[in-house]
């Protein structure tokens, strides 16, 4: 089988062997998680010739839908919520179990336990349960009317309705991609909005302070009341349980009626609690073929992982186990896992995903390729921040590891090639719209756990048995509590 | 048995008019070396992967004034006037971006879609004129007049002046060829410079008229916008250069996508029959024509610094030819590339280029070609080629038949 | 009909906006937003958009393909 990989990262299969010689006999495949990864895995299974029984289990009652628009066009009121259902790219002939959560996995008997008591048998299992939004730490405050998280279509629908009703002041807690996009929509709708971020800039988790400083400026230009190095200490409600106020660590008390909690994501691994897999808050560890590891570091034969919930070794980053919340990874890893589930071992292929994500906010398109979070330096290579169009490259120990394109998506493919080639940093480009002299600066990433939003992509240790990294120099509880400020962190 | 040539002479052979009707075996030979340095020092890139990489590479420049050879003919003829401006297709960022953005602000989906109601009846009118004939020249009777009228209408160029434009445009288009193809270069340069100046003078007059009384055409829109929302983004010389570019592109490219499309369909009658049965197939068919017989065969670039690619170092200031039509036939990218197959999946061809210089007019060209091919296939009863291969235009870069004689039994409604 | 755009592949060429302006549009200069569920009457426009995309970022749900002479499965093609 020849696979041609284009500059833009897609695989095109240019020839394939007959299905009967490359196939393992499997009767039942179960996919737990009926979102993007689950759906694409189901399609890939059928594409790869699997003809047995296929079950898709999802805890939400909806057919798979796309999440990115939930914090953008749905929230803005432009896209109706039921217009987010994902297209099925082919017939999958699956048994759908929607609105029922998986609550346990019995590996010995090859069964998934469902919340309604059912047991679902499998020959092969794909774990694609993804993540959920981290709720506000204080449960009482979180239950106030007006406090929202944003992950599901129901969340988006409710929040969109609330924003359309013209709240007096919105507070967004957490300045990652989700929080920033929500703040952007609020400004589009003409709503006063405060964004509180514990780190020194918005997007510092994913893109570092140097880039984050640019975005901070733009947010303010758009009218966001941006508070960095600030946390929300408490949310207060009235006697009817409606949100009324927020107390910030800078001493300010805001009169607010809507708070959007955008503190990152929690991997949905609780249902695997007794399964003795290498599963923890970082996700489920798997090998390059997406087979799950057990807690002893042994790879399983019949359990695969794909999407936000997976951690897998990425060859481009020295085999470090990578965990991303990327749309592109959900799609690619689902296809790889599905293929590897049903083919003969000699035809398995490794999951070789180059991290890539995008965001649209404050009138700009932000795209990134590679893994910025491991970088120590960043340099502007094309365009300027003033013209709101630029490309910046991230380097780690003298090698290019990522690139960031703002309002310049057409420029990114060239950098993808440099990243894959591990080209030297800073790159010698002499671009026509580049600065006369490249001036690398510190990228400004914070130690693990310091931000109150998801970095979106994280290197999570070199092996499946590597324990979770403990934050250095601070009490772990303090860092885990998003209400506790850390003080300014300068470059 | 195809003649084999030494690699460093292959581009010369490709430019030779004798090979115009079928350069593809020569492209195949060239592809044995992705980047091939020619006798005259030009680097020719013939494989898909490398062409794509270079089209996105920021070290590649469209501004050939930066090449060690200096500005080629097509640049020199536009710079005779003291403030003569180059069209944005010949410029790099940031100027390219600034100018293209201003044009794109007016070359909108609404404006392009608005041309549909002009194109459809025009296509039928051109065909109606062929009633009571048994043969037509697709080029002269159809594929050339159609885009000329469409761009004239869109820009707001008076149709009665089109013969003047034809003269200017042909003089300018001759300069697109590399030196070895241009005999009597001095004379060509002289005539083209004169044509460029006369055309700009004419356009200047038109711009002045529209400034006083704007219409709903593109020239009016550009003139108005550069006084208001895009003020300071494009001076008058730049407006004239942009208009000259749009006119030239409108006159000289779509004619080939239509003609190449007809020729290919008449050589693949099974596809023609499918298209007759299912007109919606024209969408994919046109994409496959753009791959199979692209109207623009190659682009010329220079380098801003040394570039290492495919085990070759292209030095700074080199002249680089990106052979789009060869990349489109690269078996490493397109399975069975020499098979014309509208059902092809993953047809990411170079028909309109790639990267920041991607063809501005692509949406208009697609619309015209869709409508044109559907109408021809629907209305010409029993169409067949009179001569295969047909005679070709001399141009190697903008490649298409000079005439395409097609016989037919009758014209249906 | 249902569609999805791979916004990682998307480089904002904008050919889709020209082909189906009621389905695709730019927010700011380079941010594509689109309706995942365009009305069936817009089918041809969406087909044009998918074909015109230089990076093939647009996928159309399979229900729609069956109607046209465009049905195509990977296996069929590779048999040559």
């Amino acid at each position: 089988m020849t696979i041609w990989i284009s500059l833009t990262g897609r695989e095109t299969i240019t020839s394939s062997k007959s299905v009967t010689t490359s196939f393992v006999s499997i009767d039942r495949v179960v996919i737990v998680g009926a979102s993007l990864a689950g759906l694409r895995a189901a399609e890939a299974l059928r594409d790869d010739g699997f003809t047995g029984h296929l079950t898709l289990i999802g805890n939400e009652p909806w057919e798979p839908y796309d999440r990115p628009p939930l914090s953008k066009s749905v929230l803005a009121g432009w896209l109706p919520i039921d217009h987010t259902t994902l297209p099925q790219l082919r017939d999958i002939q699956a048994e759908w179990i929607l609105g029922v959560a998986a609550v346990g996995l019995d590996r010995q008997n090859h069964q998934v336990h469902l919340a309604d008591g059912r047991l679902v048998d499998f020959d092969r299992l794909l774990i694609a349960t993804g993540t959920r939004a981290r709720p506000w730490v204080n449960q009482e405050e979180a239950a106030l009317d007006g406090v929202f998280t944003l992950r599901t279509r129901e969340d988006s629908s409710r929040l969109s309705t609330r924003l359309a009703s013209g709240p007096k002041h919105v507070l967004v807690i957490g300045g990652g991609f989700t929080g920033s996009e929500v703040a952007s929509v609020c400004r589009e709708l003409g709503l006063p909005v405060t964004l509180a971020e514990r780190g020194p800039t918005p997007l510092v988790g994913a893109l570092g302070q140097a880039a984050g400083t640019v975005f901070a400026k733009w947010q303010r230009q758009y009218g966001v009341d941006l508070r960095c190095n600030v946390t929300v200490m408490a949310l207060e409600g009235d006697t009817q349980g409606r949100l009324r106020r927020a107390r910030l660590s800078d001493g300010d008390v805001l009169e607010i009626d809507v708070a959007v909690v955008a503190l990152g994501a929690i991997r949905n691994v609780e249902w695997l609690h007794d399964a003795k897999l290498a599963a923890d808050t970082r996700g489920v560890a798997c090998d390059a073929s997406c087979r799950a590891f057990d807690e002893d570091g042994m790879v399983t034969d019949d359990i695969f992982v794909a999407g936000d919930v997976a951690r897998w070794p990425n060859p481009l980053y020295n085999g470090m186990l990578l965990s991303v919340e990327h749309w592109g990874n959900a799609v690619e890893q689902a296809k790889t896992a599905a293929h590897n589930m049903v083919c003969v071992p000699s035809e398995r292929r490794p999951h070789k995903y180059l991290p890539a994500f995008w965001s649209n906010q404050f009138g700009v398109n932000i795209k990134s390729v590679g893994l910025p979070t491991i970088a120590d330096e960043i340099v502007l290579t094309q365009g300027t921040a003033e013209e709101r169009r630029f490309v910046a490259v991230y380097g780690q120990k003298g090698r290019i590891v990522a690139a960031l394109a703002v309002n310049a998506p057409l420029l990114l493919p060239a950098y993808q090639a440099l990243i894959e080639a591990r080209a030297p940093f800073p790159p010698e480009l002499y671009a026509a719209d580049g600065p006369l002299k490249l001036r690398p600066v510190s990228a400004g990433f914070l130690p693990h756990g310091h931000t109150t939003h998801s970095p979106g992509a994280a290197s999570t240790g070199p092996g499946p048995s590597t324990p979770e990294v403990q934050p250095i120099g601070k009490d772990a509880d303090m860092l885990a509590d998003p209400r506790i400020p850390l003080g300014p962190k300068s470059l | 048995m195809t003649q084999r040539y030494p690699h460093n002479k292959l581009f010369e052979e490709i430019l030779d008019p004798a090979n115009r009707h079928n350069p593809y075996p020569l492209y195949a030979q060239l592809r044995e070396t992705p980047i091939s340095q020619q006798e005259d020092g030009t680097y020719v890139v013939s494989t898909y992967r490398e062409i794509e990489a270079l089209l996105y590479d920021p070290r590649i420049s469209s501004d050939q004034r930066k090449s060690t050879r200096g500005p080629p003919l097509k640049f020199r003829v536009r710079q005779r006037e003291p403030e003569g401006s180059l069209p944005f297709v010949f410029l790099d960022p940031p100027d390219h971006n600034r100018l293209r953005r201003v044009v794109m602000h007016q070359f909108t989906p609404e404006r392009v879609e608005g041309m549909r109601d002009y194109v459809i009846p025009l296509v039928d009118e051109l065909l109606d004129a062929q009633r009571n004939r048994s043969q037509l020249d697709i080029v002269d009777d159809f594929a050339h007049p159609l885009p000329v009228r469409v761009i004239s209408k869109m820009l707001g160029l008076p149709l009665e002046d089109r013969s003047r434009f034809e003269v200017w445009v042909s003089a300018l288009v001759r300069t697109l060829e590399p030196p070895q193809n241009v005999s009597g270069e001095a004379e060509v340069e002289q005539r083209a410079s004169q044509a460029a100046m006369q055309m700009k003078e004419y356009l200047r007059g038109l711009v002045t008229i529209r400034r006083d009384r704007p219409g709903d055409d593109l020239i009016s829109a550009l003139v108005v916008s550069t006084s208001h929302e895009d003020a300071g983004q494009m001076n008058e010389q730049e407006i004239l250069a942009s208009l000259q570019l749009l006119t030239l592109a409108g006159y000289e490219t779509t004619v080939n996508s239509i003609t190449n499309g007809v020729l290919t369909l008449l050589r693949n009658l099974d596809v023609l029959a499918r298209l007759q049965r299912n007109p919606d197939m024209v969408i994919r068919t046109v994409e496959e024509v753009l791959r199979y017989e692209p109207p623009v065969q190659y682009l010329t670039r220079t380098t801003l610094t040394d570039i290492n690619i495919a085990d070759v170092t292209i030095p700074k200031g080199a002249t680089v030819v990106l052979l789009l039509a060869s990349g489109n036939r690269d078996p490493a990218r397109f399975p069975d590339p020499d098979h014309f197959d509208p059902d092809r999946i993953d047809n990411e061809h170079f028909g309109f280029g790639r990267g920041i210089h991607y063809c501005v007019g692509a949406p208009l060209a697609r619309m015209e070609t869709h409508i044109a091919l559907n109408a021809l296939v629907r209305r010409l009863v029993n169409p067949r080629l009179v001569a295969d291969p047909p005679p070709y235009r001399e141009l190697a870069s903008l490649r298409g038949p000079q005439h395409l004689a097609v016989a037919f039994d009758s014209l249906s409604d | 009909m249902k569609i999805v755009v791979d916004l990682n592949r998307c480089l904002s060429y904008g050919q889709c906006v020209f082909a189906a302006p009621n389905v695709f549009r730019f927010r700011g200069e380079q941010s594509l937003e689109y309706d995942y569920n365009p009305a069936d009457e817009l089918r041809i426009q969406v087909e044009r958009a998918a074909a015109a995309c230089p990076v093939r970022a647009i996928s159309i749900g399979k229900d729609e393909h069956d109607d046209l002479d465009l049905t195509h499965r990977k296996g069929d093609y590779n048999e040559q």
Side-chain angles (χ1 to χ4, degrees):
Chain A
M1 179 178 297
T2 31
I3 301 188
W4 184 93
I5 304 203
S6 81
L7 193 71
T8 45
R10 170 182 266 184
E11 295 177 10
T12 301
I13 307 217
T14 57
S15 71
S16 76
K17 297 206 193 101
S18 147
V19 155
T20 51
T21 61
S22 60
F23 216 64
V24 182
S25 170
I26 292 170
D27 291 324
R28 309 193 51 113
V29 174
V30 172
I31 299 175
V32 181
S35 188
L36 178 63
L39 177 60
R40 293 293 177 250
E43 291 164 353
L45 282 167
R46 294 304 188 203
D47 273 343
D48 276 333
F50 174 63
T51 51
H53 191 89
L54 178 56
T55 307
L56 272 145
I57 301 169
N59 68 328
E60 289 188 69
W62 315 106
E63 274 181 65
Y65 59 89
D66 210 29
R67 293 193 201 276
L70 300 183
S71 52
K72 305 178 196 64
S73 44
V74 171
L75 206 54
W78 180 71
L79 188 67
I81 188 64
D82 46 4
H83 278 219
T84 57
T85 307
L86 285 165
Q88 278 188 34
L89 301 179
R90 61 158 297 147
D91 201 15
I92 57 175
Q93 313 250 302
E95 176 197 3
W96 292 84
I97 302 180
L98 295 177
V100 183
V103 297
L105 170 61
D106 179 348
R107 284 173 52 207
Q108 280 222 304
N109 293 311
H110 306 285
Q111 285 178 327
V112 173
H113 292 217
L114 300 186
D116 59 7
R118 275 187 277 181
L119 302 175
V120 184
D121 298 304
F122 63 85
D123 296 318
R124 293 285 183 273
L125 173 70
L126 177 68
I127 298 172
T129 44
T131 63
R132 63 186 184 278
R134 184 178 304 277
W136 182 241
V137 271
N138 179 307
Q139 283 189 352
E140 265 178 47
E141 294 173 16
L144 289 170
D145 174 18
V147 178
F148 295 84
T149 51
L150 184 53
R151 177 70 183 170
T152 68
R153 57 182 265 177
E154 282 193 57
D155 294 339
S156 183
S157 194
R158 288 172 47 232
L159 180 57
S160 169
T161 305
R162 182 63 75 99
L163 293 181
S165 72
K168 299 205 190 53
H169 194 147
V170 179
L171 170 66
V172 177
I173 309 178
F177 280 104
T178 303
S180 299
E181 286 172 5
V182 172
S184 175
V185 169
C186 287
R187 289 310 301 143
E188 250 180 66
L189 297 174
L191 301 171
V193 57
T194 298
L195 193 154
E197 163 55 43
R198 178 159 83 179
T201 72
L203 305 182
V204 63
L207 300 177
Q209 280 179 69
T213 306
V214 175
F215 295 114
K217 189 166 163 186
W218 292 348
Q219 288 199 10
R220 291 189 169 110
Q221 280 173 356
Y222 256 79
V224 175
D225 171 28
L226 177 65
R227 312 278 182 109
C228 296
N229 300 308
V230 164
T231 62
V232 174
M233 312 286 296
L235 299 172
E236 294 173 9
D238 61 16
T239 47
Q240 277 127 326
R242 292 179 301 206
L243 175 67
R244 280 284 159 260
R245 266 176 311 280
R247 295 187 181 279
L248 305 186
S249 62
D250 61 5
D252 230 348
V253 176
L254 302 178
E255 301 292 317
I256 55 161
D257 36 358
V258 174
V260 181
V261 179
L263 294 173
I266 299 176
R267 265 89 183 138
N268 291 321
V269 294
E270 289 79 4
W271 68 286
L272 299 168
H273 178 67
D274 291 324
K276 300 191 191 304
L277 291 176
D280 55 38
T281 59
R282 295 169 295 176
V284 180
C286 64
D287 73 349
S289 69
C290 308
R291 290 175 297 171
F293 283 107
D294 72 7
E295 61 183 10
D296 296 317
M298 296 201 296
V299 77
T300 60
D301 298 314
D302 54 348
I303 301 177
F304 291 71
V305 201
D308 289 0
V309 79
R311 298 166 58 206
W312 80 98
N314 192 309
L316 200 56
Y317 298 103
N318 301 317
M320 276 280 173
L321 294 189
L322 201 60
S323 172
V324 302
E325 293 165 41
H326 291 173
W327 191 96
N329 184 58
V331 171
E332 289 308 312
Q333 196 165 32
K335 290 182 193 164
T336 305
H339 171 81
N340 291 342
M341 275 180 150
V342 295
C343 71
V344 292
S346 59
E347 288 200 359
R348 284 196 196 119
R349 43 174 211 260
H351 182 48
K352 277 190 174 172
Y353 166 73
L354 180 67
F357 64 83
W358 82 89
S359 171
N360 291 318
Q361 50 180 273
F362 301 105
V364 293
N365 169 259
I366 301 171
K367 287 188 74 168
S368 167
V369 164
L371 200 60
T373 53
I374 60 172
D376 36 55
E377 292 183 283
I378 185 175
V379 67
L380 180 80
T381 54
Q382 289 182 261
T384 63
E386 288 68 44
E387 62 180 293
R388 288 191 189 236
R389 177 189 162 276
F390 66 84
V391 181
V393 170
Y394 292 84
Q396 184 205 36
K397 296 189 175 53
R399 298 268 149 211
I400 296 177
V401 292
L404 169 69
V406 176
N407 265 354
L410 272 175
L411 302 182
L412 210 48
Y415 294 87
Q416 185 176 319
L418 293 177
I419 294 163
E420 281 164 339
R422 285 171 230 223
F425 176 93
E428 299 211 341
L429 289 176
Y430 301 96
D433 57 347
L436 285 171
K437 194 168 155 50
L438 294 187
R439 288 175 213 285
V441 298
S442 167
F445 285 97
L446 303 181
H448 176 77
H450 281 226
T451 63
T452 45
H453 55 261
S454 271
S459 179
T460 61
S465 310
T466 316
E468 300 192 51
V469 173
Q470 295 309 313
I472 304 163
K474 289 272 179 190
D475 182 49
D477 289 336
M478 267 183 71
L479 276 181
D481 189 335
R483 295 168 298 190
I484 300 178
L486 300 172
K489 292 261 174 300
S490 50
L491 288 173
Chain B
M1 162 89 179
T2 321
Q3 172 94 16
R4 281 199 63 92
Y5 297 93
H7 269 226
N8 64 352
K9 289 190 195 289
L10 270 169
F11 193 56
E12 196 184 306
E13 283 305 315
I14 287 164
L15 294 176
D16 185 344
N19 290 317
R20 193 73 68 247
H21 70 286
N22 188 17
Y24 297 101
L26 297 171
Y27 297 163
Q29 282 182 43
L30 252 185
R31 283 194 298 270
E32 292 163 14
T33 321
I35 321 246
S36 170
Q37 191 178 13
Q38 302 298 294
E39 252 192 335
D40 69 346
T42 305
Y43 288 80
V44 179
V45 186
S46 54
T47 46
Y48 187 97
R49 167 179 235 143
E50 281 67 33
I51 292 172
E52 186 182 39
L54 290 173
L55 281 170
Y56 281 119
D57 197 320
R59 299 168 294 182
I60 284 281
S61 164
S62 291
D63 189 343
Q64 286 175 258
R65 291 173 298 182
K66 300 177 187 173
S67 72
T68 42
R69 287 183 199 165
L73 189 55
K74 66 192 180 198
F75 278 63
R76 298 198 305 268
V77 300
R78 286 173 167 86
Q79 293 192 286
R80 287 293 192 84
E81 306 150 74
E83 279 121 43
S85 191
L86 290 169
F88 58 83
V89 68
F90 292 152
L91 297 174
D92 291 334
D95 291 316
H96 158 271
N97 299 354
R98 168 177 59 87
L99 298 172
R100 183 177 169 131
R101 181 189 280 132
V102 173
V103 169
M104 292 307 292
H105 280 169
Q106 307 310 320
F107 193 88
T108 59
E110 294 70 39
R111 186 177 297 278
V112 172
E113 189 54 32
M115 295 303 298
R116 189 178 294 273
D117 287 341
Y118 179 76
V119 174
I120 293 175
L122 177 56
V123 159
D124 278 325
E125 187 190 308
L126 289 168
L127 283 177
D128 286 341
Q130 309 309 316
R131 211 179 283 281
N132 305 324
R133 298 181 71 195
S134 55
Q135 182 170 310
L136 81 156
D137 176 357
I138 292 287
V139 177
D140 286 349
D141 298 328
F142 190 76
H144 179 72
L146 173 65
V148 162
R149 276 164 221 254
V150 171
I151 198 68
S152 302
K153 174 85 171 147
M154 182 181 253
L155 291 177
L157 304 175
L159 260 184
E160 55 268 24
D161 288 330
R162 70 181 182 283
S163 52
R164 297 172 72 183
F165 276 98
E166 309 262 6
V167 171
W168 293 328
V169 163
S170 356
L172 276 169
V173 136
R174 290 237 51 213
T175 64
L176 293 177
E177 295 301 273
Q180 53 267 52
N181 246 26
V182 183
S183 54
E185 191 177 314
E187 202 212 306
V188 170
E189 182 166 352
Q190 175 61 23
R191 289 182 57 205
S193 304
Q194 212 172 11
M197 277 185 7
Q198 288 172 349
M199 189 172 173
K200 277 201 178 159
E201 269 317 299
Y202 179 99
L203 288 168
R204 191 197 311 271
L206 207 51
V207 161
T208 309
I209 294 171
R210 301 277 183 259
R211 192 168 276 129
D212 285 337
R213 281 217 319 257
D216 54 10
D217 54 276
L218 186 56
I219 293 180
S220 300
L222 260 183
V223 164
V224 167
S225 80
T226 49
S227 311
H228 296 96
E229 68 263 26
D230 279 325
Q233 293 300 303
M234 195 185 256
N235 64 36
E236 189 175 77
Q237 278 297 328
E238 290 169 332
I239 294 177
L240 299 178
S242 300
L243 293 176
Q244 191 170 68
L245 170 66
L246 293 178
T247 307
L248 215 114
Y251 266 64
E252 291 289 327
T253 52
T254 312
V255 53
N256 288 332
S257 56
I258 296 173
T259 310
N260 291 348
V262 176
L263 175 61
T264 309
L265 282 171
L266 291 175
R267 287 171 171 167
N268 292 273
L269 293 171
D270 54 331
V271 178
L272 191 148
R274 281 178 69 193
L275 188 54
Q276 279 172 332
R277 283 195 307 271
N278 183 5
D280 289 341
M281 241 197 86
V282 77
I283 297 169
R284 288 198 179 190
T285 304
V286 166
E287 297 307 313
E288 178 66 341
V289 169
L290 289 166
R291 180 192 75 84
Y292 199 70
E293 297 271 27
V296 176
Q297 297 272 299
Y298 65 84
L299 300 172
T300 312
R301 298 282 188 265
T302 186
T303 49
L304 298 172
T305 182
D306 289 359
I307 297 181
N308 291 322
I309 181 167
D311 298 328
V312 168
T313 301
I314 306 179
K316 173 176 170 177
T319 300
V320 181
V321 167
L322 301 172
L323 210 34
L324 305 181
S326 170
N328 278 354
R329 299 284 191 111
D330 187 345
R333 176 61 182 83
F334 297 105
D336 209 359
D338 295 322
H339 176 55
F340 179 71
D341 178 13
D343 292 324
R344 197 173 278 280
I345 53 175
D346 283 348
N347 191 357
E348 292 166 51
H349 57 75
F350 292 127
F352 288 120
R354 198 65 64 83
I356 62 174
H357 289 276
Y358 187 88
C359 177
V360 165
L364 184 62
R366 282 185 165 112
M367 179 200 289
E368 290 181 58
T369 312
H370 288 167
I371 295 171
L373 292 184
N374 264 149
L376 280 164
V377 148
R378 191 184 85 242
R379 298 192 61 189
L380 292 178
V381 177
N382 192 20
R384 51 222 183 258
L385 287 170
V386 170
D388 191 0
Y392 268 79
R393 309 175 66 184
E394 245 196 80
L395 285 168
S397 54
L398 304 182
R399 176 178 168 267
Q402 176 92 31
H403 299 290
L404 187 64
V406 171
F408 57 99
D409 290 348
S410 61
L411 191 73
S412 69
D413 288 322
Chain C
M1 64 185 312
K2 296 199 199 79
I3 64 175
V4 66
V5 181
D6 183 335
L7 290 171
N8 285 312
R9 289 177 72 78
C10 175
L11 298 179
S12 302
Y13 277 101
Q15 299 302 299
C16 55
V17 180
F18 281 92
N22 292 327
V23 180
F24 303 93
R25 68 182 192 188
F26 279 126
R27 194 102 155 134
E29 289 201 351
Q30 307 271 338
S31 309
L32 184 73
E33 64 177 20
Y34 65 100
D35 184 353
Y36 289 66
N37 201 182
D40 285 336
E41 299 86 77
L42 298 173
R43 181 174 53 83
I44 283 301
Q45 288 188 15
V46 174
E47 294 280 355
R48 284 186 197 136
C53 177
V55 293
R56 293 244 141 186
I58 302 171
S59 299
I60 302 176
K62 65 117 195 148
D63 306 308
E64 282 54 55
H65 277 149
D66 294 339
D67 299 335
L68 311 175
D69 186 14
L70 301 174
T71 306
H72 189 80
R73 289 188 302 273
K74 269 190 199 171
D76 295 343
Y77 181 69
N78 288 329
E79 265 158 42
Q80 295 158 29

